[in-house]
Amino acid sequence: MVAYDSQLNSLLVMAGVVYDYLSFVANDVIFFSDDVQTTTIAVAIASSLCCSIVWAVFHIINVVQPSKGNVKAKSATLSIYAGKIHASRKSCQPVCLDGSVTLQQDEVEVPCVRCGKYYADANCRFVTCKECCFSVTACNFHRLNKDIKGRQYRSDGQQQLQEIDLSQCQIQQCPERLGFVGAQLTLLNLAQNKLTNLPSEIGCLRGLTDLFIDHNNITIIPDSLGSLVNLESLNLSFNQIYTLPDTICSLQNLKVLKADHNNMEDIPMCIGQLHHLVKLYLEYNKLKYFNIKCSSLGHLEILVLNNNPISSLPDEIRNMIHLHELDVSSCDLHNIPKSICYCPNLETLNLSNNQLSVLPVEIGRLPSLKNLQLNNNKLQYLPSTLKVDKYDSISVSGNPFLLEDILIEVYTPNNLFPSLLEKALRFVCNHGNYKIDILPQTLQDILTEIKTCTGCGQIFFTYYKSTIELQQTTQGTIPFFSQICSPHNTQMCNQT
């Protein structure tokens, strides 16, 4: 803009000098001549010369800057294209104009949405070139600029724009026309700016596989996000988002979803239908429940929910058979579902800073568990199936453990075999095809107290014997709890 103003001032000064000279010639030489024929010829020559000079000045101005609307387009080309977009690499250094950029709707040059061969003319309501405009009479820009010529977007064989990196540019508003860059765009990085919203036109970038809008001030995600069906990685971290749109369930190719450090109180249940999801980060939100349908999260490997007021985990966690890491620390958990034993690949489990008073017996039977964090809970003992010394890392500090042996024995009526009622209840629960609400209230009360034998691993209702014994471990003296369903399992429990 500074260079343009300087050139324009020079042209105006030159035009003024020419004007003064022509005025002198016309007044003092031509019109005071006694020869009428000479005067007529001189006037014609002077008029032609003036027209030529005016045309030359106008042409030079158009070459320097074709129109007011194109001034903005060129400045946007600098702010977006100058070193910030690379078709072959993803790590780009951000470029900012004077350290602060505020892009407007008409500041982004994009290809025509119809032909893709020419740039869409600035301010065209249909985002097209003149040849492809849907209605010239309805488009104020093309109706008023009839002589405008299309500028070629790319030649055949030229590599198309694939990545845009506008991170750390202090952008306050995302330009709406950014959504019309083209379906060839695969990466858009708007992280670490001052954005407060996203235009719905961003849903037009259907070729995106990576979208980063973390570290902004965004509160609402547009429903059009669901149109990005090729998206594989979505980062919404460190914003002010209150909820996610239900259309997120359309992102069936999504593998990584980061929505941590926001203000979300709930999440769409349909997230459980993203069957390609591998990593899910939801820590530091305001989630009270995690009642998503986990039926399709069989490929999920990392689930991070720490620092949320979640009180329980769904029993459907059993479907996460590839889960490697589960972090639910600093929540409000009062229990852990027994179905966690169906996660055979679980290696890291963080349950610190919760309200757990009892751990399920099944937790000690996780075959791949290596790292276990149980700090600062309300545990009085650990299940005897939990072998503390076999883990690579374990922490149990900050729990009110019992420091004395306790022996409790409860015998079945015949002392050796469970009762008929006990067998019937075990059979019903093992098959799982029952509705508890149609049973008598007495049976309903019994079915709510299902126990798991630390010896054989089978469920039961009536103790044969339960004990709490102190053991010396690398973590100090820890009480271990065992519960036996029948006398035949006493020796088995002691060996585990």
Side-chain angles (χ1 to χ4, degrees):
M1 289 298 296
V2 175
Y4 167 74
D5 291 340
S6 178
Q7 294 174 351
L8 183 61
N9 290 333
S10 299
L11 291 173
L12 292 176
V13 171
M14 182 177 67
V17 173
V18 174
Y19 173 79
D20 292 339
Y21 175 75
L22 291 177
S23 298
F24 167 76
V25 172
N27 292 330
D28 297 342
V29 178
I30 298 177
F31 294 107
F32 286 95
S33 174
D34 294 334
D35 188 352
V36 176
Q37 183 178 4
T38 302
T39 302
T40 303
I41 295 174
V43 169
I45 294 174
S47 300
S48 177
L49 182 61
C50 288
C51 291
S52 299
I53 293 174
V54 171
W55 178 87
V57 171
F58 180 76
H59 178 72
I60 293 174
I61 291 176
N62 277 341
V63 170
V64 175
Q65 188 177 32
S67 66
K68 183 178 180 181
N70 285 341
V71 173
K72 295 182 179 180
K74 290 296 183 181
S75 65
T77 302
L78 290 176
S79 63
I80 294 181
Y81 297 159
K84 296 190 63 56
I85 297 178
H86 300 268
S88 61
R89 61 190 179 97
K90 296 185 178 181
S91 56
C92 313
Q93 294 297 325
V95 175
C96 303
L97 300 179
D98 64 22
S100 179
V101 179
T102 302
L103 297 176
Q104 301 298 329
Q105 175 179 344
D106 56 349
E107 286 185 328
V108 178
E109 288 192 318
V110 298
C112 173
V113 296
R114 293 192 68 179
C115 66
K117 297 180 180 180
Y118 298 95
Y119 279 105
D121 293 322
N123 300 321
C124 173
R125 61 178 297 185
F126 302 112
V127 197
T128 64
C129 60
K130 183 180 179 181
E131 288 74 11
C132 298
C133 188
F134 291 94
S135 176
V136 175
T137 57
C139 177
N140 292 332
F141 181 79
H142 285 135
R143 179 167 54 85
L144 299 176
N145 297 273
K146 298 181 179 180
D147 297 331
I148 192 171
K149 295 182 179 180
R151 293 183 301 112
Q152 193 171 24
Y153 172 63
R154 66 183 183 90
S155 59
D156 293 339
Q158 182 178 348
Q159 193 171 21
Q160 291 182 304
L161 181 66
Q162 293 182 355
E163 301 177 2
I164 294 181
D165 183 2
L166 288 174
S167 59
Q168 304 179 36
C169 285
Q170 303 299 313
I171 297 175
Q172 299 177 1
Q173 182 178 357
C174 181
E176 294 179 357
R177 290 174 68 91
L178 190 64
F180 299 100
V181 169
Q184 81 284 349
L185 192 69
T186 59
L187 183 145
L188 176 59
N189 190 351
L190 298 172
Q192 301 184 46
N193 285 294
K194 297 181 179 180
L195 300 177
T196 57
N197 57 72
L198 287 177
S200 57
E201 286 77 7
I202 200 170
C204 297
L205 300 174
R206 297 176 64 88
L208 277 183
T209 58
D210 301 274
L211 175 59
F212 307 110
I213 55 176
D214 52 289
H215 293 84
N216 281 284
N217 298 314
I218 298 172
T219 57
I220 299 177
I221 301 298
D223 292 339
S224 60
L225 186 73
S227 299
L228 307 179
V229 293
N230 293 308
L231 205 61
E232 296 181 1
S233 180
L234 175 61
N235 193 338
L236 308 173
S237 303
F238 291 92
N239 279 285
Q240 306 296 325
I241 301 172
Y242 289 95
T243 186
L244 297 177
D246 290 336
T247 54
I248 198 171
C249 64
S250 300
L251 309 180
Q252 289 299 312
N253 290 308
L254 195 64
K255 296 179 180 179
V256 180
L257 174 58
K258 295 184 177 181
D260 53 281
H261 294 83
N262 281 286
N263 294 323
M264 295 187 298
E265 296 184 358
D266 57 15
I267 54 176
M269 296 183 65
C270 63
I271 287 182
Q273 301 174 10
L274 301 177
H275 58 277
H276 284 133
L277 198 62
V278 176
K279 300 178 181 179
L280 178 58
Y281 298 88
L282 296 171
E283 68 268 28
Y284 287 93
N285 276 284
K286 300 179 180 179
L287 301 176
K288 296 182 179 179
Y289 308 99
F290 187 69
N291 294 332
I292 66 173
K293 296 181 179 180
C294 308
S295 56
S296 298
L297 293 180
H299 291 87
L300 193 67
E301 297 180 1
I302 298 178
L303 176 59
V304 182
L305 298 170
N306 61 285
N307 288 276
N308 280 289
I310 297 175
S311 57
S312 62
L313 294 176
D315 188 63
E316 288 186 348
I317 198 173
R318 67 174 65 231
N319 297 314
M320 303 179 186
I321 58 175
H322 287 96
L323 192 64
H324 290 172
E325 178 182 345
L326 174 61
D327 188 349
V328 285
S329 60
S330 300
C331 293
D332 193 30
L333 293 177
H334 288 75
N335 58 75
I336 296 295
K338 298 178 180 180
S339 57
I340 197 171
C341 67
Y342 292 99
C343 301
N345 294 298
L346 190 61
E347 297 180 355
T348 300
L349 178 59
N350 193 341
L351 301 172
S352 301
N353 302 301
N354 280 288
Q355 306 296 321
L356 300 175
S357 57
V358 176
L359 291 179
V361 172
E362 289 78 6
I363 198 172
R365 291 198 170 95
L366 289 169
S368 303
L369 192 61
K370 297 178 180 179
N371 305 295
L372 179 61
Q373 305 297 319
L374 299 170
N375 297 326
N376 303 315
N377 278 282
K378 297 182 179 180
L379 299 172
Q380 293 184 315
Y381 47 79
L382 301 180
S384 59
T385 55
L386 200 62
K387 302 304 178 182
V388 175
D389 294 336
K390 77 174 185 178
Y391 299 113
D392 294 341
S393 174
I394 187 170
S395 181
V396 296
S397 61
N399 286 285
F401 287 131
L402 297 175
L403 298 179
E404 58 181 3
D405 291 344
I406 300 176
L407 176 62
I408 304 174
E409 294 186 357
V410 180
Y411 293 92
T412 56
N414 58 10
N415 197 28
L416 293 178
F417 301 100
S419 65
L420 184 60
L421 176 61
E422 177 77 11
K423 288 186 175 181
L425 292 173
R426 293 183 188 182
F427 178 83
V428 170
C429 291
N430 284 327
H431 285 73
N433 297 323
Y434 67 92
K435 295 182 178 180
I436 190 173
D437 55 342
I438 65 175
L439 299 175
Q441 187 61 44
T442 304
L443 295 180
Q444 291 186 32
D445 295 339
I446 297 176
L447 288 173
T448 57
E449 299 180 358
I450 301 177
K451 307 173 183 64
T452 303
C453 180
T454 54
C456 64
Q458 299 296 321
I459 62 173
F460 70 100
F461 298 89
T462 304
Y463 284 114
Y464 168 71
K465 183 173 63 175
S466 64
T467 60
I468 295 179
E469 298 179 353
L470 298 178
Q471 296 182 16
Q472 292 295 327
T473 68
T474 55
Q475 297 291 315
T477 303
I478 298 178
F480 288 90
F481 173 75
S482 63
Q483 52 189 14
I484 311 302
C485 64
S486 71
H488 299 288
N489 293 323
T490 303
Q491 185 177 2
M492 184 186 300
C493 181
N494 293 332
Q495 293 175 353
T496 59

